[in-house]
Coordinates of all heavy atoms in Angstrom, one line a residue:
M1 N 134.3 69.1 82.0 CA 132.9 69.0 82.3 C 132.5 67.6 82.5 O 132.6 66.8 81.6 CB 132.1 69.6 81.1 CG 130.6 69.8 81.3 SD 130.3 71.2 82.3 CE 128.5 71.2 82.3
P2 N 132.0 67.2 83.7 CA 131.6 65.9 83.9 C 130.4 65.5 83.1 O 129.6 66.3 82.6 CB 131.1 65.9 85.4 CG 131.5 67.2 86.0 CD 131.7 68.1 84.8
N3 N 130.3 64.2 82.8 CA 129.1 63.7 82.0 C 127.8 63.9 82.8 O 127.9 63.9 84.1 CB 129.3 62.2 81.7 CG 130.4 62.0 80.7 OD1 130.6 62.8 79.8 ND2 131.1 60.9 80.8
K4 N 126.7 64.0 82.1 CA 125.4 64.1 82.8 C 124.9 62.8 83.2 O 125.3 61.7 82.7 CB 124.5 64.8 81.9 CG 124.9 66.2 81.5 CD 124.0 66.9 80.6 CE 124.5 68.3 80.3 NZ 123.6 69.0 79.3
C5 N 123.9 62.8 84.1 CA 123.2 61.6 84.6 C 122.6 60.9 83.3 O 121.9 61.6 82.5 CB 122.1 62.0 85.5 SG 121.0 60.7 86.0
D6 N 122.7 59.6 83.3 CA 122.2 58.9 82.2 C 120.6 58.8 82.1 O 120.0 58.4 81.1 CB 122.8 57.5 82.1 CG 122.6 56.8 83.5 OD1 123.0 57.4 84.5 OD2 122.2 55.6 83.5
L7 N 120.0 59.2 83.3 CA 118.5 59.2 83.3 C 117.9 60.5 83.0 O 116.7 60.7 83.1 CB 118.1 58.7 84.7 CG 118.5 57.3 85.1 CD1 118.1 57.0 86.5 CD2 118.0 56.3 84.2
L8 N 118.7 61.5 82.8 CA 118.3 62.9 82.7 C 117.1 63.1 81.7 O 116.1 63.7 82.1 CB 119.5 63.8 82.3 CG 119.3 65.3 82.3 CD1 120.6 66.0 82.8 CD2 118.9 65.8 81.0
E9 N 117.2 62.5 80.6 CA 116.2 62.8 79.6 C 114.8 62.2 79.9 O 113.8 62.7 79.5 CB 116.6 62.2 78.2 CG 117.7 63.0 77.6 CD 118.1 62.5 76.2 OE1 117.4 61.6 75.7 OE2 119.1 63.0 75.7
T10 N 114.8 61.2 80.7 CA 113.5 60.6 81.1 C 113.1 60.8 82.6 O 112.2 60.2 83.1 CB 113.5 59.1 80.9 OG1 114.6 58.5 81.7 CG2 113.8 58.7 79.4
C11 N 113.8 61.7 83.2 CA 113.6 62.0 84.7 C 112.5 63.0 84.8 O 112.6 64.2 84.4 CB 114.9 62.5 85.3 SG 114.7 62.9 87.1
G12 N 111.4 62.6 85.5 CA 110.3 63.5 85.8 C 110.7 64.8 86.6 O 110.2 65.9 86.3
F13 N 111.6 64.6 87.5 CA 112.0 65.7 88.4 C 112.8 66.7 87.5 O 112.5 67.9 87.5 CB 112.9 65.2 89.5 CG 113.5 66.4 90.3 CD1 112.8 67.0 91.3 CD2 114.8 66.9 90.0 CE1 113.3 68.1 92.0 CE2 115.3 67.9 90.7 CZ 114.5 68.5 91.7
F14 N 113.7 66.2 86.7 CA 114.5 67.1 85.9 C 113.6 67.9 84.9 O 113.7 69.1 84.8 CB 115.6 66.4 85.1 CG 116.4 67.3 84.2 CD1 117.4 68.1 84.7 CD2 116.1 67.4 82.9 CE1 118.1 69.0 83.9 CE2 116.8 68.2 82.1 CZ 117.8 69.0 82.6
N15 N 112.8 67.1 84.3 CA 111.9 67.8 83.2 C 110.9 68.8 83.8 O 110.6 69.7 83.1 CB 111.2 66.7 82.4 CG 112.2 66.0 81.5 OD1 113.0 66.6 80.8 ND2 112.3 64.6 81.6
K16 N 110.4 68.5 85.0 CA 109.4 69.4 85.5 C 110.0 70.6 86.4 O 109.4 71.6 86.5 CB 108.4 68.6 86.4 CG 107.4 67.8 85.6 CD 106.3 67.3 86.5 CE 105.3 66.5 85.7 NZ 104.4 65.8 86.6
F17 N 111.1 70.3 87.0 CA 111.6 71.2 88.0 C 112.9 71.9 87.7 O 113.5 72.6 88.6 CB 111.7 70.5 89.4 CG 110.3 70.2 89.9 CD1 109.9 68.8 89.8 CD2 109.5 71.1 90.6 CE1 108.6 68.5 90.3 CE2 108.3 70.7 91.1 CZ 107.8 69.4 91.0
N18 N 113.5 71.7 86.5 CA 114.8 72.2 86.3 C 114.9 73.7 86.3 O 116.0 74.3 86.4 CB 115.5 71.6 85.1 CG 114.9 72.1 83.8 OD1 115.0 73.2 83.4 ND2 114.2 71.1 83.1
S19 N 113.7 74.4 86.1 CA 113.7 75.8 86.1 C 113.2 76.4 87.5 O 113.0 77.6 87.6 CB 112.8 76.4 85.0 OG 113.2 75.9 83.8
N20 N 112.8 75.5 88.4 CA 112.2 75.9 89.7 C 113.3 76.7 90.5 O 114.4 76.3 90.6 CB 111.8 74.7 90.4 CG 111.2 75.0 91.8 OD1 112.0 75.2 92.7 ND2 109.9 74.9 91.9
L21 N 112.8 77.8 91.1 CA 113.8 78.6 91.8 C 114.5 77.9 93.0 O 115.7 78.1 93.2 CB 113.0 79.9 92.4 CG 113.9 81.1 92.7 CD1 114.7 81.5 91.6 CD2 113.0 82.2 93.2
E22 N 113.7 77.1 93.7 CA 114.4 76.4 94.8 C 115.4 75.4 94.3 O 116.5 75.3 94.9 CB 113.3 75.6 95.7 CG 114.0 74.9 96.9 CD 113.0 74.2 97.7 OE1 111.8 74.2 97.4 OE2 113.5 73.5 98.6
V23 N 115.1 74.7 93.2 CA 116.0 73.8 92.6 C 117.3 74.5 92.2 O 118.4 74.0 92.4 CB 115.3 73.1 91.4 CG1 116.3 72.2 90.7 CG2 114.2 72.2 91.9
I24 N 117.1 75.7 91.6 CA 118.3 76.4 91.1 C 119.1 76.9 92.3 O 120.3 76.8 92.4 CB 117.8 77.7 90.3 CG1 117.2 77.2 89.0 CG2 118.9 78.6 90.1 CD1 116.5 78.2 88.2
N25 N 118.4 77.4 93.4 CA 119.1 77.8 94.6 C 119.8 76.7 95.3 O 120.9 76.9 95.8 CB 118.1 78.5 95.6 CG 117.6 79.8 95.1 OD1 118.3 80.5 94.3 ND2 116.5 80.3 95.6
Q26 N 119.3 75.5 95.2 CA 119.9 74.4 95.9 C 121.0 73.8 95.0 O 121.8 72.9 95.5 CB 118.9 73.3 96.2 CG 117.8 73.6 97.2 CD 118.3 73.6 98.6 OE1 119.4 73.3 98.9 NE2 117.4 73.9 99.5
R27 N 121.1 74.2 93.8 CA 122.1 73.7 92.8 C 122.0 72.2 92.5 O 123.0 71.5 92.2 CB 123.5 74.0 93.3 CG 123.7 75.5 93.4 CD 125.1 75.9 93.8 NE 125.3 77.3 93.8 CZ 126.5 77.9 93.7 NH1 127.6 77.1 93.6 NH2 126.6 79.2 93.6
W28 N 120.8 71.6 92.7 CA 120.6 70.2 92.5 C 121.0 69.7 91.1 O 121.5 68.7 90.9 CB 119.2 69.8 92.9 CG 119.0 69.7 94.4 CD1 119.9 69.4 95.3 CD2 117.8 70.0 95.1 NE1 119.3 69.5 96.6 CE2 118.0 69.8 96.5 CE3 116.5 70.4 94.7 CZ2 117.0 70.0 97.4 CZ3 115.5 70.6 95.6 CH2 115.8 70.4 97.0
I29 N 120.5 70.5 90.1 CA 120.8 70.1 88.7 C 122.3 70.0 88.5 O 122.8 69.1 87.9 CB 120.1 71.1 87.8 CG1 118.6 71.2 88.0 CG2 120.4 70.7 86.3 CD1 117.8 69.9 87.8
R30 N 123.0 71.1 88.9 CA 124.4 71.1 88.6 C 125.1 70.0 89.4 O 126.0 69.3 89.0 CB 125.0 72.4 89.0 CG 126.5 72.5 88.6 CD 127.1 73.8 89.0 NE 126.5 75.0 88.4 CZ 127.0 76.2 88.5 NH1 128.1 76.4 89.2 NH2 126.4 77.2 87.9
L31 N 124.7 69.8 90.7 CA 125.4 68.9 91.6 C 125.1 67.4 91.2 O 126.0 66.6 91.3 CB 124.9 69.1 93.0 CG 125.5 70.3 93.7 CD1 124.8 70.5 95.1 CD2 127.0 70.3 93.9
Y32 N 123.9 67.1 90.9 CA 123.5 65.7 90.6 C 123.3 65.5 89.1 O 124.0 64.6 88.5 CB 122.2 65.4 91.3 CG 122.3 65.3 92.8 CD1 122.1 66.4 93.6 CD2 122.6 64.1 93.4 CE1 122.2 66.4 95.0 CE2 122.7 64.0 94.8 CZ 122.5 65.2 95.6 OH 122.6 65.1 97.0
C33 N 122.4 66.2 88.5 CA 121.9 65.8 87.1 C 123.0 66.0 86.1 O 123.1 65.3 85.1 CB 120.7 66.6 86.8 SG 119.4 66.5 88.0
E34 N 123.9 67.0 86.3 CA 124.9 67.3 85.3 C 126.3 66.7 85.7 O 127.3 67.2 85.2 CB 125.0 68.8 85.1 CG 123.7 69.4 84.5 CD 123.7 70.8 84.2 OE1 124.6 71.6 84.7 OE2 122.8 71.3 83.4
N35 N 126.2 65.8 86.6 CA 127.5 65.2 87.1 C 127.3 63.7 87.2 O 126.7 63.2 88.2 CB 127.9 65.8 88.4 CG 129.3 65.3 88.9 OD1 129.6 64.1 88.7 ND2 130.0 66.2 89.5
L36 N 127.7 62.9 86.3 CA 127.3 61.5 86.3 C 127.8 60.8 87.5 O 127.1 60.0 88.1 CB 128.0 60.8 85.0 CG 127.7 59.3 84.9 CD1 126.2 59.0 84.9 CD2 128.4 58.7 83.7
D37 N 129.0 61.0 88.0 CA 129.6 60.4 89.2 C 128.7 60.7 90.4 O 128.3 59.8 91.1 CB 131.0 60.8 89.5 CG 132.0 60.2 88.5 OD1 131.6 59.2 87.8 OD2 133.1 60.7 88.3
H38 N 128.4 62.0 90.6 CA 127.6 62.4 91.7 C 126.1 61.9 91.6 O 125.4 61.7 92.6 CB 127.7 63.9 91.9 CG 127.3 64.3 93.3 ND1 128.2 64.1 94.4 CD2 126.3 65.0 93.8 CE1 127.6 64.5 95.5 NE2 126.5 65.1 95.2
S39 N 125.7 61.7 90.4 CA 124.3 61.3 90.2 C 124.0 59.9 90.8 O 122.9 59.5 91.1 CB 123.9 61.3 88.7 OG 124.5 60.2 88.0
E40 N 125.1 59.2 91.0 CA 124.9 57.9 91.6 C 124.4 58.0 93.1 O 124.0 57.0 93.7 CB 126.3 57.1 91.6 CG 126.8 56.8 90.2 CD 125.7 56.0 89.3 OE1 125.0 55.1 89.9 OE2 125.7 56.2 88.1
L41 N 124.6 59.2 93.7 CA 124.1 59.4 95.0 C 122.7 59.9 95.1 O 122.1 60.1 96.1 CB 125.1 60.4 95.7 CG 126.5 60.0 95.8 CD1 127.3 61.2 96.4 CD2 126.7 58.8 96.7
C42 N 122.1 60.2 93.9 CA 120.7 60.7 93.8 C 119.7 59.7 94.4 O 119.7 58.5 93.9 CB 120.4 61.1 92.4 SG 118.7 61.5 92.1
E43 N 118.9 60.1 95.3 CA 117.9 59.2 95.9 C 116.9 58.7 94.8 O 116.4 57.6 94.9 CB 117.2 59.9 97.0 CG 118.1 60.2 98.2 CD 118.7 59.0 98.8 OE1 118.1 57.9 98.8 OE2 119.9 59.1 99.3
R44 N 116.6 59.6 93.8 CA 115.7 59.2 92.8 C 116.3 58.0 91.9 O 115.7 57.1 91.6 CB 115.4 60.4 91.8 CG 114.8 61.5 92.5 CD 114.4 62.6 91.4 NE 113.7 62.1 90.3 CZ 112.3 61.9 90.4 NH1 111.7 62.3 91.4 NH2 111.7 61.4 89.3
K45 N 117.6 58.2 91.7 CA 118.3 57.2 90.8 C 118.4 55.9 91.6 O 118.2 54.8 91.0 CB 119.6 57.7 90.5 CG 120.3 56.9 89.4 CD 121.6 57.6 88.9 CE 122.1 57.0 87.6 NZ 123.2 57.8 87.0
K46 N 118.6 55.9 92.9 CA 118.7 54.7 93.7 C 117.4 54.0 93.6 O 117.4 52.7 93.5 CB 119.1 55.1 95.1 CG 120.5 55.5 95.3 CD 120.7 55.8 96.8 CE 121.9 56.6 97.1 NZ 122.0 57.1 98.5
I47 N 116.3 54.7 93.8 CA 115.0 54.1 93.8 C 114.7 53.4 92.4 O 114.2 52.3 92.3 CB 113.9 55.1 94.2 CG1 114.0 55.4 95.7 CG2 112.5 54.6 93.9 CD1 113.1 56.6 96.1
R48 N 115.0 54.2 91.4 CA 114.7 53.7 90.1 C 115.6 52.4 89.8 O 115.1 51.5 89.2 CB 115.0 54.8 89.1 CG 114.4 54.5 87.7 CD 114.1 55.8 87.0 NE 114.3 55.6 85.6 CZ 114.2 56.6 84.7 NH1 113.9 57.8 85.1 NH2 114.4 56.4 83.4
N49 N 116.8 52.5 90.2 CA 117.6 51.3 89.9 C 117.2 50.1 90.8 O 117.3 48.9 90.3 CB 119.1 51.6 90.2 CG 119.7 52.5 89.2 OD1 119.2 52.6 88.0 ND2 120.8 53.3 89.5
Q50 N 116.7 50.3 92.0 CA 116.3 49.2 92.9 C 114.9 48.7 92.5 O 114.7 47.5 92.6 CB 116.3 49.7 94.3 CG 117.6 49.9 94.9 CD 117.6 50.7 96.2 OE1 116.5 51.0 96.7 NE2 118.8 51.0 96.8
T51 N 114.0 49.5 92.1 CA 112.6 49.1 91.8 C 112.3 49.0 90.3 O 111.3 48.4 90.0 CB 111.6 50.0 92.5 OG1 111.6 51.3 91.8 CG2 112.0 50.2 94.0
G52 N 113.0 49.7 89.5 CA 112.7 49.7 88.1 C 111.7 50.8 87.8 O 111.3 50.9 86.6
K53 N 111.2 51.5 88.8 CA 110.2 52.5 88.6 C 110.7 53.8 89.2 O 111.3 53.8 90.2 CB 108.9 52.1 89.3 CG 108.3 50.9 88.7 CD 107.0 50.5 89.4 CE 106.4 49.3 88.8 NZ 105.2 48.8 89.6
P54 N 110.3 54.9 88.6 CA 110.7 56.2 89.1 C 109.9 56.6 90.3 O 108.7 56.3 90.3 CB 110.5 57.2 87.9 CG 109.4 56.6 87.1 CD 109.6 55.1 87.3
P55 N 110.4 57.4 91.2 CA 109.6 57.9 92.3 C 108.7 59.1 91.8 O 108.8 59.4 90.6 CB 110.6 58.4 93.3 CG 111.8 58.7 92.5 CD 111.8 57.8 91.4
A56 N 107.9 59.6 92.7 CA 107.1 60.8 92.3 C 108.0 61.9 91.7 O 109.1 62.1 92.2 CB 106.3 61.3 93.5
D57 N 107.5 62.6 90.7 CA 108.3 63.6 90.1 C 108.8 64.7 91.0 O 109.8 65.3 90.8 CB 107.4 64.3 89.0 CG 107.2 63.4 87.8 OD1 107.9 62.3 87.7 OD2 106.3 63.7 87.0
N58 N 108.0 64.9 92.1 CA 108.4 66.0 93.0 C 109.4 65.6 94.1 O 109.7 66.4 95.0 CB 107.2 66.6 93.7 CG 106.4 65.7 94.6 OD1 106.6 64.5 94.5 ND2 105.7 66.2 95.6
M59 N 110.0 64.4 94.0 CA 111.0 64.0 94.9 C 112.4 64.6 94.3 O 112.7 64.3 93.2 CB 111.1 62.5 95.1 CG 112.3 62.2 96.0 SD 112.6 60.4 96.0 CE 111.6 59.9 97.3
A60 N 113.1 65.3 95.1 CA 114.4 65.9 94.7 C 115.5 64.8 94.8 O 115.3 63.8 95.5 CB 114.7 67.1 95.6
P61 N 116.6 65.1 94.2 CA 117.8 64.1 94.3 C 118.2 63.8 95.8 O 118.7 62.7 96.0 CB 118.9 64.9 93.6 CG 118.2 65.8 92.6 CD 116.9 66.2 93.3
T62 N 117.9 64.7 96.7 CA 118.2 64.5 98.1 C 117.2 63.6 98.8 O 117.4 63.2 99.9 CB 118.4 65.8 98.9 OG1 117.1 66.5 98.7 CG2 119.5 66.6 98.3
G63 N 116.0 63.4 98.1 CA 115.0 62.6 98.7 C 113.9 63.5 99.3 O 112.8 63.0 99.7
V64 N 114.1 64.8 99.5 CA 113.0 65.7 100.0 C 112.0 65.9 98.9 O 112.3 65.9 97.7 CB 113.6 67.0 100.5 CG1 114.7 66.8 101.5 CG2 114.1 67.9 99.3
L65 N 110.8 66.1 99.4 CA 109.7 66.4 98.5 C 109.5 67.9 98.3 O 109.5 68.7 99.2 CB 108.4 65.8 99.0 CG 108.4 64.3 99.1 CD1 107.0 63.8 99.7 CD2 108.7 63.6 97.8
M66 N 109.3 68.3 97.0 CA 109.1 69.7 96.7 C 107.7 70.2 97.2 O 106.8 69.4 97.0 CB 109.2 69.9 95.2 CG 110.6 69.5 94.6 SD 111.8 70.8 95.0 CE 111.2 72.2 94.2
Ligands
LIG101 S1 117.2 63.9 89.6 FE1 118.6 62.2 89.8 S2 117.8 60.7 88.4 FE2 117.0 62.6 87.8 S3 118.4 63.4 86.2 FE3 118.9 64.3 88.2 S4 120.5 62.9 89.0 FE4 119.4 61.8 87.4

């Protein structure tokens, strides 16, 4: 089992949308949030690492807005 994203506990997207049907259907939580290596490709994580601030909570790991 891969390690989870280190930002998971403070991530607005994860906390608000982890039960959302589209999120579940897209498997974003499993693909990104629950896989530390793959989470490095998350657009939210890139923005947070580059700016020090999180993007809007409704931005998905792929960068699309919910
Ligand atoms: S959405 Fe991105 S930053 Fe947030 S927990 Fe998932 S992988 Fe980490």
Side-chain angles (χ1 to χ4, degrees):
M1 186 80 176
N3 290 326
K4 295 179 180 179
C5 172
D6 50 312
L7 300 178
L8 188 143
E9 289 182 7
T10 58
C11 179
F13 175 82
F14 178 80
N15 287 309
K16 283 191 181 172
F17 292 100
N18 70 69
S19 305
N20 178 281
L21 199 56
E22 183 182 354
V23 173
I24 292 169
N25 287 339
Q26 297 281 1
R27 301 184 173 200
W28 284 326
I29 301 299
R30 188 186 294 189
L31 288 172
Y32 291 90
C33 310
E34 296 183 344
N35 185 324
L36 179 58
D37 287 342
H38 201 70
S39 75
E40 299 302 326
L41 300 175
C42 172
E43 296 299 328
R44 298 185 55 83
K45 193 169 193 175
K46 290 181 194 172
I47 289 172
R48 194 152 146 185
N49 287 339
Q50 286 167 5
T51 69
K53 296 178 183 175
D57 290 346
N58 65 336
M59 177 191 271
T62 56
V64 303
L65 298 179
M66 298 286 297

